[in-house]
Amino acid sequence: MEYLSEVRMCITKRDMRLLKNNLSKIESNILDICNIKKEVLGFNDKRYILLGWHNIEWFSKYKEILIIKNTLNEFKNKRLPFKFLRVGQNINDIEKHSFPDESHFIDSIMFSNLIKVDKSA
C-alpha cells in the first residue's frame, strides 16, 4: 500500500525559474503533474506561484523530490521567500518549511485547497 501526501509550495515567479532549471538536470515531469499551478497575489502585491500535488508519494528516494528539497534549502540560504507544506496520511505527519520563518504571506492560499469541508453536515 502506498503512502500518499498532500503538498503545497509557494515561491516567487522569479524563483520558479531556478526550480525549473534544477529539475531540468534530470528527466522529470513533477511540475507537469501538479494538480494546482496558479499565480497568486501575496504580501505587498508581490506575485507568487502556488504549486500543489494531491495524493503524491513524497519521498527523497525520488530524484525530483530530492531536487525540490535541495532547491528549497537553496532558497533559504539565498534568503528567498517561500513556503512549503506537506501533510501525510497520518495525523501527526506534517512537514513545514518557509523563509522567512515568521512569514504569513500566503498561509490562507496554501490551506484553501488542502482542507475539504463537508458542507452537508
Coordinates of all heavy atoms in Angstrom, one line a residue, residues 2-3 6 27 31-32 37 63 68 72 74 77 79-80 87-88 91-92 95 99 101 106-107 112 117:
E2 N 0.6 2.2 -0.9 CA 1.4 3.4 -1.0 C 1.0 4.4 0.1 O -0.2 4.4 0.5 CB 1.3 4.0 -2.4 CG -0.1 4.3 -2.8 CD -0.1 4.7 -4.3 OE1 0.8 4.4 -5.1 OE2 -1.2 5.2 -4.7
Y3 N 1.9 5.2 0.5 CA 1.7 6.3 1.4 C 1.7 7.6 0.7 O 2.6 8.0 0.0 CB 2.8 6.3 2.5 CG 2.6 7.3 3.6 CD1 1.7 7.0 4.6 CD2 3.1 8.6 3.6 CE1 1.5 7.9 5.6 CE2 2.9 9.5 4.6 CZ 2.0 9.1 5.6 OH 1.8 10.0 6.6
E6 N -0.5 15.3 0.7 CA -0.9 16.5 0.0 C 0.3 17.5 0.2 O 0.8 17.6 1.3 CB -2.1 17.1 0.7 CG -3.4 16.2 0.5 CD -3.9 16.3 -0.9 OE1 -3.9 17.4 -1.5 OE2 -4.2 15.2 -1.4
E27 N 15.4 13.9 -16.0 CA 14.1 13.7 -16.7 C 13.0 13.7 -15.7 O 12.9 12.7 -15.0 CB 14.1 12.5 -17.6 CG 15.0 12.6 -18.8 CD 14.8 11.4 -19.7 OE1 13.7 10.8 -19.8 OE2 15.8 11.1 -20.4
L31 N 6.6 18.9 -12.3 CA 5.8 20.1 -12.5 C 4.6 19.9 -13.4 O 3.6 20.6 -13.3 CB 6.7 21.2 -13.0 CG 7.8 21.7 -12.0 CD1 8.7 22.7 -12.6 CD2 7.3 22.1 -10.7
D32 N 4.7 19.0 -14.3 CA 3.6 18.8 -15.3 C 2.4 18.1 -14.6 O 1.3 18.2 -15.1 CB 4.1 17.9 -16.5 CG 5.1 18.7 -17.3 OD1 5.1 19.9 -17.3 OD2 6.0 18.0 -17.9
K37 N -1.5 24.7 -10.0 CA -0.4 25.5 -10.5 C -1.1 26.9 -10.9 O -1.7 27.0 -12.0 CB 0.2 24.9 -11.7 CG 1.5 25.5 -12.2 CD 2.0 24.8 -13.4 CE 3.5 24.7 -13.5 NZ 4.0 23.9 -14.6
K63 N 14.3 11.2 -7.3 CA 15.3 12.3 -7.6 C 14.6 13.7 -7.6 O 15.2 14.7 -7.1 CB 15.9 12.0 -8.9 CG 16.9 10.9 -8.9 CD 17.6 10.7 -10.3 CE 18.5 9.5 -10.2 NZ 19.1 9.2 -11.6
I68 N 13.7 19.1 -5.4 CA 12.9 20.1 -4.8 C 13.3 20.5 -3.4 O 13.4 21.7 -3.0 CB 11.4 19.7 -4.9 CG1 10.9 19.7 -6.3 CG2 10.5 20.6 -4.0 CD1 9.5 19.1 -6.5
L72 N 14.7 24.1 -2.1 CA 14.1 24.9 -1.0 C 15.2 25.3 0.0 O 15.2 26.4 0.5 CB 13.0 24.1 -0.3 CG 11.7 23.8 -1.1 CD1 10.8 22.9 -0.3 CD2 11.1 25.1 -1.5
E74 N 18.2 25.9 -0.9 CA 18.9 26.9 -1.7 C 18.2 28.3 -1.5 O 18.8 29.3 -1.3 CB 19.0 26.5 -3.2 CG 19.9 27.4 -4.0 CD 20.0 26.9 -5.4 OE1 19.7 25.7 -5.7 OE2 20.5 27.7 -6.3
N77 N 19.0 29.6 1.9 CA 20.4 30.1 2.0 C 20.5 31.4 1.3 O 21.3 32.2 1.7 CB 21.3 29.0 1.5 CG 21.4 27.8 2.3 OD1 21.1 27.8 3.5 ND2 21.9 26.7 1.7
R79 N 18.1 33.5 1.1 CA 17.1 34.4 1.7 C 16.0 34.8 0.7 O 15.5 35.9 0.7 CB 17.8 35.6 2.3 CG 18.9 35.2 3.3 CD 19.6 36.4 3.9 NE 18.8 37.2 4.7 CZ 18.4 37.0 6.0 NH1 18.8 35.8 6.5 NH2 17.6 37.8 6.6
L80 N 15.5 33.8 0.0 CA 14.4 34.0 -1.0 C 13.1 33.5 -0.3 O 13.1 32.4 0.3 CB 14.7 33.2 -2.3 CG 16.0 33.6 -3.0 CD1 16.2 32.6 -4.2 CD2 15.9 35.0 -3.5
V87 N 1.4 17.4 4.1 CA 0.5 16.7 5.1 C 0.4 15.2 4.6 O -0.2 15.0 3.5 CB -0.8 17.4 5.2 CG1 -1.7 16.6 6.2 CG2 -0.7 18.8 5.6
G88 N 0.9 14.3 5.4 CA 0.8 12.9 5.1 C -0.5 12.3 5.6 O -1.4 13.0 6.1
I91 N -2.0 11.5 11.0 CA -2.4 12.8 11.6 C -1.2 13.7 12.0 O -1.3 14.9 12.0 CB -3.5 12.7 12.7 CG1 -4.1 14.0 13.0 CG2 -2.8 12.0 13.9 CD1 -5.4 13.9 13.7
N92 N -0.2 13.1 12.5 CA 1.0 13.8 13.0 C 2.1 14.0 12.0 O 3.1 14.5 12.3 CB 1.6 13.1 14.2 CG 0.6 13.1 15.4 OD1 -0.1 14.1 15.6 ND2 0.6 12.1 16.2
E95 N 5.0 18.3 7.5 CA 6.3 18.9 7.3 C 6.1 20.3 6.8 O 5.4 20.5 5.8 CB 7.0 18.0 6.2 CG 8.3 18.5 5.8 CD 9.0 17.6 4.7 OE1 8.3 16.7 4.3 OE2 10.1 18.0 4.3
F99 N 10.7 30.5 4.5 CA 11.6 31.6 4.8 C 10.9 32.9 4.3 O 10.4 32.9 3.2 CB 12.9 31.5 4.0 CG 13.9 32.6 4.4 CD1 14.6 32.5 5.5 CD2 13.9 33.8 3.6 CE1 15.4 33.6 5.9 CE2 14.7 34.8 4.0 CZ 15.5 34.7 5.2
D101 N 11.0 32.6 8.4 CA 10.3 31.6 9.3 C 8.9 32.2 9.8 O 8.0 31.4 10.0 CB 11.1 31.2 10.5 CG 12.3 30.4 10.0 OD1 12.2 29.7 8.9 OD2 13.3 30.4 10.7
I106 N 1.2 33.8 2.6 CA 0.3 33.1 1.7 C -0.3 31.9 2.5 O -0.8 30.9 1.8 CB 1.1 32.5 0.5 CG1 2.5 32.1 0.8 CG2 1.2 33.6 -0.6 CD1 2.5 30.7 1.3
D107 N -0.4 32.0 3.8 CA -1.0 30.9 4.6 C -2.4 30.5 4.1 O -2.7 29.3 3.9 CB -1.0 31.2 6.1 CG 0.3 31.0 6.7 OD1 1.2 30.4 6.1 OD2 0.5 31.5 7.8
S112 N -6.2 26.8 1.4 CA -7.6 26.9 0.8 C -7.9 25.6 0.1 O -9.1 25.2 0.1 CB -7.7 28.1 -0.1 OG -6.8 27.9 -1.2
V117 N -14.1 20.7 3.4 CA -15.1 20.8 4.4 C -16.4 20.2 3.9 O -16.8 20.4 2.8 CB -15.4 22.3 4.8 CG1 -16.5 22.4 5.8 CG2 -14.1 22.9 5.3

